[in-house]
Every structure is written in C-alpha cells, then in structure tokens.
Amino acid sequence: MEKNNLANFPRPVHHRIPNFKGAAQAAENLPSLREFKNALIVKVNPDKPQEKVRLLVLEARKTLLVPTPRLRKGLFNKIVPPPGAAKEIIRVCSTAQGVKDFSVPVQLDAKVHIDLVVVGSVAVSKNGWRIGKGEGFADLEYAMMVSMGSIDEKTVVVTTVHDCQLLDIPEELMDNHDLIVDYILTPTQVITTDCKRSKPQGIIWSKVDLEMMQKNSNPQILLLQRKARGQGCRSEG
C-alpha cells in the first residue's frame, strides 16, 4: 500500500488502520445493505478511513456509537449532533474532532442493542477472516459488547477496505477471540463472506494481557472482570 501510494494521510500506514484511497467510495456501498437500512443503532470505529461511514449513519438519522480510543475512558460514546444541525455540522460530527465535541458516554449498564458494527481492518480475507493492528482492541470491544448484552450472533459486522487489503489469511493465524466479518466493502465491490467461524462469545480473560489492562485502566473492563470472577471466569473460548 505504501509502495503503490494507495493511502492518504496519516502516513506511513504501518501500525494503524490504513486511510486507504477510495475509502469514501467503499463507504458508499453501505446504504445498499439491507442490514444498514434496517439498523437503528450502528457502532463505527473512530479511524479516519471510516469517517464517511460515520457521516452516512448520521445522515440516515440512525444512532451512532463510536468506541473511545484504546478503550481508555469507557466502551463507546454516542454522537449527538445539535438539534436542527446543518449539513456541515453533521459532517463535522463524523470527524475525529466532532466525536470529541458532540459525544456523550454510554455507561456499562446502559440497555443498548447494536444492530450493525463497522470496523476497520489491516487485511481481510474473502471468507471473513480479519486482521487488525494487532493490539486486540477491536476484538475486546466486541467481546465487551457481548458481555454487556449489546450484541448477539445476529449482529452484522462490516469492514471497509481497499481491494489490495483482500488477502488469503491462513486459518492458523485465527484464534477464538478474533472478530470475523459478514460483509467486506471496497471501492469496487461488496463481498458477502458467509463466514462459518463463530464470532467471539464474550471476554476471554486469559487473552487480555496485563499490559493492555495497565495502559487503559478502563473501569468498565475492570467491572466486567469482577463480574466474571463472581460468575466463574471464562479462561478459554
């Protein structure tokens, strides 16, 4: 991607979700999905290449949830544009600055059911296997939402990527905590993965390393961990 100049700022693309050229075109495939049309609440990652996705969610007057970066201050925020906001303000709400300025936190005990999840990827296979930045936060976000009862097996997961990010991913690289996707949207195509692997069923605490816990000290993660200990901690999937 770097060699062929297929990414926009920020560069280089290493250790981040690439802001690929054509990200807006890939996002524009989202409204064609029946699952998007029917969704009321949509969770979208905060990265630059999914900015157009966030805008489409807001323009469709759906509820937009965005995870807090690296899960430091909670699980996600609800983006709340001002009443009667003009089109330009709606656009600002979809940006990183807008996420900071027009959001309210969603608490762990909130009764929220998410209908659609959109994530970024570093690479993804046509059968729905996904590789992220390698830090595990997207997988942990999903597992936390399962533990909260905010999502279930019927919740559809979508990723937007450049066509060059479509790769054959060996099955041995996949683990039981890895998030898989149902749809892949690129600037040129919509792929239905029909993935047969199960999505994460909750937090596998043995996979949440000490460094991750120390970096964010997220009270919501700690609360879930205490609850898990009280119910019998799930150590393996």
Side-chain angles (χ1 to χ4, degrees), residues 107-126:
Q107 300 302 321
L108 183 64
D109 57 356
K111 302 299 182 183
V112 176
H113 187 274
I114 297 169
D115 304 300
L116 185 69
V117 173
V118 182
V119 296
S121 301
V122 170
V124 64
S125 68
K126 289 186 176 182

Side-chain angles (χ1 to χ4, degrees), residues 1-2 4-14 16-30 44-45 47-54 118-124 130-131 158-166 183-189:
M1 185 170 276
E2 277 290 332
N4 295 314
N5 195 32
L6 296 176
N8 294 314
F9 176 85
R11 302 277 292 271
V13 298
H14 313 303
R16 70 175 82 248
I17 298 297
N19 185 22
F20 60 95
K21 292 183 177 180
Q25 291 93 322
E28 285 166 1
N29 289 314
L30 186 62
V44 184
N45 64 298
D47 298 288
K48 181 66 175 178
Q50 281 70 48
E51 184 175 298
K52 178 68 172 183
V53 173
R54 297 191 293 274
V118 182
V119 296
S121 301
V122 170
V124 64
R130 171 190 174 274
I131 293 177
V158 178
T159 191
T160 61
V161 295
H162 193 278
D163 289 273
C164 76
Q165 292 173 264
L166 293 170
Y183 290 98
I184 303 168
L185 311 182
T186 81
T188 67
Q189 58 187 317

Side-chain angles (χ1 to χ4, degrees), residues 90-111:
I90 297 294
R91 186 198 66 77
V92 170
C93 288
S94 70
T95 67
Q97 187 61 47
V99 169
K100 293 178 182 178
D101 294 343
F102 297 98
S103 65
V104 294
V106 177
Q107 300 302 321
L108 183 64
D109 57 356
K111 302 299 182 183

Side-chain angles (χ1 to χ4, degrees), residues 58 63-65 77-83 85 89-90 93 98-99 101-105:
L58 292 172
T63 297
L64 172 62
L65 302 180
N77 292 323
K78 177 182 177 181
I79 310 307
V80 184
I89 297 299
I90 297 294
C93 288
V99 169
D101 294 343
F102 297 98
S103 65
V104 294

